[in-house]
Amino acid sequence: MPTILRPEALTRAAFKPFGDVIETAGARHYPINQGTTMRYHDLAAVDVATDRGAALINIFRGQPWPQPIHIRLMERHPLGSQAFVPLQRQDYLVVVADPAQPLSPGTLRAFRAKGTQGVNYGRNVWHHPLLVLEADSDFLVVDRGGPGDNEEEFRFAEDAVVFLEV
């Protein structure tokens, strides 16, 4: 029997076990630059310093996955966090696993992120690679560079069928 993941709205409260939602709505902010700019302050906990790591700023350009989306692989980063902020304001999907449970189809949760929301996966949080809904979806990505192996992958068994509703 396949597992069907139905995305829920991305909120700070729902996503808290997995990391941070990066958005201006409800965020602490104050004016800077002689009042011409609003600074939305400290939106995510960037965690990259383990084993002499350093922050990297990248742009990832995502393409839509063929539908139906079959979740076969999850990944995590044991040495640091990883943040994704959409640059085109296009909605996208996020799949994560409950960090308090062993990884299985039953521990997966899906979120539909608005194009005005980013996510910051906490260290060691299982997540699916980038799941965009429109072609040429660019994301500013902040993650860890430096020594050490900072990526682990987990492939579900062939009989573990998980479909993501779009």
Side-chain angles (χ1 to χ4, degrees), residues 62-66 132-136:
Q63 295 292 313
W65 287 65
V132 302
L133 299 171
E134 299 181 47
D136 294 337

Side-chain angles (χ1 to χ4, degrees), residues 21-91:
V21 175
I22 302 168
E23 64 183 334
T24 58
R28 187 171 63 137
H29 60 282
Y30 52 89
I32 60 171
N33 298 339
Q34 299 171 327
T36 62
T37 303
M38 190 60 65
R39 177 177 175 150
Y40 293 87
H41 187 71
D42 198 20
L43 299 176
V46 177
D47 174 10
V48 297
T50 298
D51 294 340
R52 300 181 322 274
L56 299 177
I57 296 178
N58 312 284
I59 292 180
F60 289 14
R61 179 163 296 144
Q63 295 292 313
W65 287 65
Q67 292 188 32
I69 298 174
H70 183 180
I71 304 299
R72 294 183 170 100
L73 175 122
M74 298 291 282
E75 64 180 35
R76 68 180 175 180
H77 307 285
L79 301 178
S81 60
Q82 188 178 45
F84 289 79
V85 178
L87 297 177
Q88 272 92 23
R89 293 183 173 243
Q90 297 172 164
D91 290 4

Side-chain angles (χ1 to χ4, degrees), residues 3 5 97-98 101-109 156 162:
T3 300
L5 286 178
D98 184 339
Q101 304 282 334
L103 186 57
S104 73
T107 64
L108 299 180
R109 283 183 68 187
F156 289 109
V162 181

